[in-house]
Amino acid sequence: MERRRIAVVAAGLSVPSSTRLLADQLTAAVVADLNRHGIEVRPEVFDLRDTAHDVVNNLLTGFPPDRLKHVLDTVAAADGLIAVTPIFNASASGLFKSFFDVVESAALAGKPVLIGATGGTVRHSLALEHAVRPMLTYLHAVVVPTSVFAAAEDFGAEGLRERVDRAAGELAALVAARPATEVVDPFTLTRSFEELL
Ligand SMILES: Cc1cc2nc3c(=O)[nH]c(=O)nc-3n(C[C@H](O)[C@H](O)[C@H](O)COP(=O)(O)O)c2cc1C
């Protein structure tokens, strides 16, 4: 059976987090869809609040602490990414934006990405289109056409499931169509110990 890696980043600050809930629904739908394509997938899900201090340290020093480096490496090596933010002041949250400010510029190039957001009001559902999609397009990610916004009243209501499934189908189709991302071990690039020095 073929395999693919899916990374998931959720920038919710509350515990429990509605942003994480939406991320989990999107992840389950993407996994189910890839399974239908005959592809096995083990998603790796990260709550960015766990690395919030590390993100700030990376911004200040230019280097990611180990825990954040693991998240960044996982995102870079993934065949597809699900990125979900709460909407703060009609835009992505500061933590979500800062995280993508420390992602290596080449890490998302050509990578299929599904974007989602939660908010207090459906009036801000287009924040994904004017704030998040342009940022990821700038990073050369391939953002699927359907983005998923969920206000508090959308959870459990008609319509969200359909949008989740449509967006998940789009991400799964792109991930299935691409060869699995090759993870390059830097040590395999060298032929001798001298070259390592
Ligand atoms: C500082 C702040 C600003 C917010 N601004 C908005 C906003 O502009 N539009 C909106 O729809 N919701 C806004 N909200 C509500 C959050 O987006 C919403 O509660 C979100 O689902 C919280 O996600 P979480 O449960 O994962 O923490 C704001 C919340 C906070 C704390």
Side-chain angles (χ1 to χ4, degrees), residues 85-118:
T85 180
I87 298 301
F88 284 179
N89 297 334
S91 189
S93 76
L95 175 58
F96 184 86
K97 173 66 166 63
S98 296
F99 173 76
F100 282 99
D101 288 348
V102 300
V103 167
E104 287 288 334
S105 55
L108 296 182
K111 197 183 299 296
V113 180
L114 191 173
I115 54 175
T118 61

Side-chain angles (χ1 to χ4, degrees), residues 141-166:
V142 180
V143 185
V144 301
T146 302
S147 53
V148 182
F149 178 91
E153 70 235 42
D154 289 322
F155 287 98
E158 215 178 301
L160 180 59
R161 180 79 256 163
E162 205 178 294
R163 296 203 304 280
V164 165
D165 286 344
R166 181 164 10 112

Side-chain angles (χ1 to χ4, degrees), residues 5-10 20 27 31 41-47 70-71 73-75 77-78 80-82:
R5 283 176 293 236
I6 298 291
V8 184
V9 293
R20 173 62 193 258
T27 305
V31 170
V41 58
R42 185 144 33 98
E44 291 205 65
V45 186
F46 301 101
D47 285 308
H70 172 65
V71 181
D73 288 348
T74 304
V75 166
L81 173 67
I82 298 171

Side-chain angles (χ1 to χ4, degrees), residues 12-37:
L13 299 183
S14 314
V15 181
S17 155
S18 57
T19 307
R20 173 62 193 258
L21 178 63
L22 179 60
D24 287 343
Q25 292 186 4
L26 291 166
T27 305
V30 168
V31 170
D33 230 296
L34 283 168
N35 288 166
R36 278 194 288 277
H37 282 86

